[in-house]
Structure formats: C-alpha cells, structure tokens
Amino acid sequence: MTQFFQDMKHLKALFKEQYNPENFFLIAGPCVIEEEEILMTVAEKVTKICKRLQIPYIFKASYRKANRTSVHSFTGIGDVEGLELLQKVGKTFNVPVTSDIHSAAEAAMAAAYVDVLQIPAFLCRQTDILLAAAETGKVVNVKKGQFLSGESMKFAVEKIKGAGNDHIILTERGTTFGYQDLVVDYRNIPIMKHLGEPVVMDCTHSLQQPNQTSGVTGGNPQMISTIAKAAIATGADGLFIETHPDPSKAKSDGANMLRLDLLEELLEKLVEIRKVVR
C-alpha cells in the first residue's frame, strides 16, 4: 500500500493530515446535505476516528439528489448552499470533500467547492459528464454501473484519461439482481485494480433494495460489516460508507446507511483485517 500511495500521487495529495499509508482510505458521510448541524456532527466524529486509526479520509455528502424514486422525495437544500457547506466542512476539519454531479454543466460549478467529483453509477457511461469532470482537473471517482462488468470500466478510464486527466478512482457498488436487489461480485475489485486505478467498495449502496412499490428504496444495513470485511480481504484500496446519527430520520438512503455510533468499532476491525491481508 505504501507503493500504491507513492504511485497514486494525486490520491496522496488529497490527504492533508498524517495517516498510515499502509491503510485503506475512507469516503464517508451522510447521503445528502440536510442541514449544517448533521454535516458537522458526522465530519467531527469521523475525522477523530480516522485520525486515531490513521485512516486517510474524504468527507462525502450530496449537495443534490437528482435520482430519487418518488417526485416527493427530498433532493437538497439548494446547490450553492449545499456546496458552500461542503467547502466549510473541508476547511473546518482539514479534509478533502466530495459530492456527485448529475450533468456536464455541474462539473465546473461543483469543482469550485470540492476536491473529488463523483460520477453516479447510472451515469458512468455518459461521455459528456466524464469529459466535463475530467477537464476540471479534479480527482474523478466513477461508480461502476449496476449493469456493467468490472472490465467495462476501462472505457470510462479511457475517456477521462483521453481528456488529459489521470486522477481517477473506481468504485464498485453492486450489480442488479432481479428487479429489487443487488449482489456484490468481488471479482470486480481485482479486475478493476488491473486497470491501474485505486478501487473503492461502496459498502452501503451495494446493499440497496431499489424499485420498491412504496417509492422509497430499501436496504440491508445489517450486512455493511460483512461487505466491508470482504472488500478489504479481496484487496479494495478504499471503502465508501454512508453514515448518519439516526438513519431512521435521514432524508435519503436511510434504509442502507450505517448508524454513526457503529462506525468506530467497524473501522477498528477493518484496520486489523487490513494488517493481516497486507
């Protein structure tokens, strides 16, 4: 992993605090920006845990949720308002921040506030979005579509690199299984690592149960620990875990988020597994 961070200088440059370069890195935060208090609570807690465990940390929250099952679902507090709060989190806790974008036009706007641009799984093949994100010069984290193989992500990598940006992260987030479930094919982790980019396991979205007739996506949060442990064991470079003080009251993806007070114990176990695997 030390050599990994040396080779991926763009990734190493993100992390401003001291960390153990042998560790996995963590992308974590609430699904969507609901209010400043929740952002600051989560960021403060996770930053302290990661400092103690020497885990490189990127704070994540969406300034807008463009892909919701129901038209009545919460989408955000406003683009600029949300991005300003993300920027405030980054400056307050001295951590890099990330959020997803949903169109090519959003790339430059979001890049003025965040360190990493996230491309949602459903949009991972959209050439105009990938090129616009690449052209900002920011690190681009592309989530593998639920409908794609790990091998197919080489085309996303080629598009971004073709635009002159080799600052790339790839994220596995499960594969569609029937109409209302996802499964994780752990073969995708080493397959995508062969593309020469750091690979992250999304431990929460991979447990979604989409397309529920209630209009609200379901999930299996009790399996987050299992997904995370297996990901570290199979060589994931990073983990993506959405977390919230009270997922039952979260305005987006509460059904598959990890309760904030459970995160520290899980990360402690994962650090130990990482040592064994290494």
Side-chain angles (χ1 to χ4, degrees):
M1 191 67 166
T2 303
Q3 186 61 46
F4 165 76
F5 272 98
Q6 290 174 349
D7 292 342
M8 301 292 176
K9 291 184 173 61
H10 66 281
L11 195 56
K12 182 178 180 180
L14 283 174
F15 305 114
K16 303 160 189 176
E17 297 289 340
Q18 292 296 314
Y19 60 88
N20 178 2
E22 302 287 350
N23 249 334
F24 58 88
F25 64 95
L26 177 68
I27 303 174
C31 179
V32 67
I33 296 171
E34 301 175 18
E35 59 182 53
E36 182 173 350
E37 182 180 357
I38 292 176
L39 281 194
M40 292 298 176
T41 296
V42 174
E44 181 178 21
K45 176 73 171 179
V46 182
T47 298
K48 286 181 178 178
I49 295 170
C50 287
K51 281 184 178 180
R52 182 176 71 81
L53 297 176
Q54 292 287 284
I55 298 172
Y57 176 46
I58 302 172
F59 179 85
K60 183 270 170 184
S62 297
Y63 63 87
R64 174 157 48 90
K65 299 302 292 183
N67 177 25
R68 303 307 309 276
T69 302
S70 170
V71 71
H72 303 294
S73 297
F74 178 78
T75 58
I77 63 173
D79 290 358
V80 174
E81 293 85 351
L83 285 165
E84 287 178 343
L85 284 178
L86 271 176
Q87 188 177 60
K88 182 176 181 178
V89 167
K91 290 180 177 178
T92 301
F93 299 101
N94 197 32
V95 295
V97 297
T98 184
S99 186
D100 39 348
I101 61 172
H102 317 92
S103 69
E106 291 181 41
M109 174 187 71
Y113 297 90
V114 305
D115 303 283
V116 179
L117 294 175
Q118 178 180 295
I119 309 301
F122 282 128
L123 301 176
C124 69
R125 290 184 54 178
Q126 295 299 111
T127 302
D128 59 340
I129 297 177
L130 291 172
L131 297 183
E135 289 165 2
T136 67
K138 296 288 184 174
V139 176
V140 182
N141 177 20
V142 188
K143 287 195 168 186
K144 182 186 75 63
Q146 301 92 319
F147 43 86
L148 288 181
S149 66
E151 293 94 337
S152 297
M153 290 301 287
K154 69 180 181 180
F155 299 111
V157 171
E158 288 173 358
K159 290 174 183 179
I160 296 169
K161 287 189 172 181
N165 187 340
D166 59 0
H167 302 166
I168 303 167
I169 299 171
L170 301 177
T171 295
E172 164 63 32
R173 55 96 73 230
T175 301
T176 299
F177 185 71
Y179 289 114
Q180 295 178 324
D181 206 358
L182 298 169
V183 294
V184 177
D185 181 353
Y186 285 96
R187 294 176 298 178
N188 284 323
I189 292 177
I191 285 170
M192 290 195 290
K193 282 170 69 73
H194 279 302
L195 298 176
E197 311 302 333
V199 174
V200 170
M201 180 70 232
D202 184 337
C203 304
T204 44
H205 288 97
S206 60
L207 291 168
Q208 284 182 332
Q209 294 177 321
N211 305 317
Q212 300 296 313
T213 56
S214 65
V216 178
T217 296
N220 285 304
Q222 67 273 15
M223 298 295 292
I224 292 172
S225 175
T226 299
I227 295 292
K229 291 172 183 176
I232 294 299
T234 50
D237 301 299
L239 298 176
F240 181 110
I241 300 175
E242 287 190 334
T243 182
H244 191 282
D246 186 353
S248 68
K249 296 180 180 178
K251 295 182 178 180
S252 177
D253 278 0
N256 53 267
M257 275 197 281
L258 181 69
R259 206 172 72 223
L260 184 59
D261 62 1
L262 300 177
L263 180 64
E264 186 167 14
E265 182 180 0
L266 173 59
L267 290 177
E268 289 173 345
K269 293 177 181 177
L270 295 173
V271 167
E272 292 305 310
I273 294 172
R274 175 69 186 170
K275 290 177 183 177
V276 174
V277 172
R278 190 177 67 242

